[in-house]
Amino acid sequence: MNNLSGVAEIDHAGPDPGIAHDYAHTWWIRDRLDRAQGQHGNQVLWFGPAPLVGNITWPTEALVTMGPLARRR
């Protein structure tokens, strides 16, 4: 067990089958969180309808939008 359960984890994902930000990785991480800390309440999912390719503002948009929500926890 570690102290990461108190850290917000913002997961960026998009429909990029077989690529680094594919949705599958999100669920693998969630499974690991459940096994390691018994819950995944600190994981925030930021999904979009289009692949991440070429959209360099997506990470910043996620942090600006989700940051205040994650700090409330």
Side-chain angles (χ1 to χ4, degrees):
M1 188 67 68
N2 56 43
N3 295 321
L4 289 178
S5 63
V7 176
E9 296 184 25
I10 299 176
D11 186 339
H12 301 107
D16 295 338
I19 307 297
H21 294 281
D22 187 4
Y23 291 133
H25 296 105
T26 296
W27 308 118
W28 297 341
I29 291 170
R30 179 164 281 191
D31 183 55
R32 288 179 181 172
L33 289 170
D34 286 341
R35 282 185 283 143
Q37 57 194 38
Q39 52 90 19
H40 55 264
N42 60 314
Q43 183 186 34
V44 178
L45 306 180
W46 186 260
F47 285 7
L52 298 177
V53 176
N55 187 347
I56 61 172
T57 64
W58 219 31
T60 302
E61 185 181 338
L63 289 172
V64 169
T65 304
M66 301 302 278
L69 297 173
R71 282 193 291 275
R72 286 189 210 163
R73 187 170 172 357

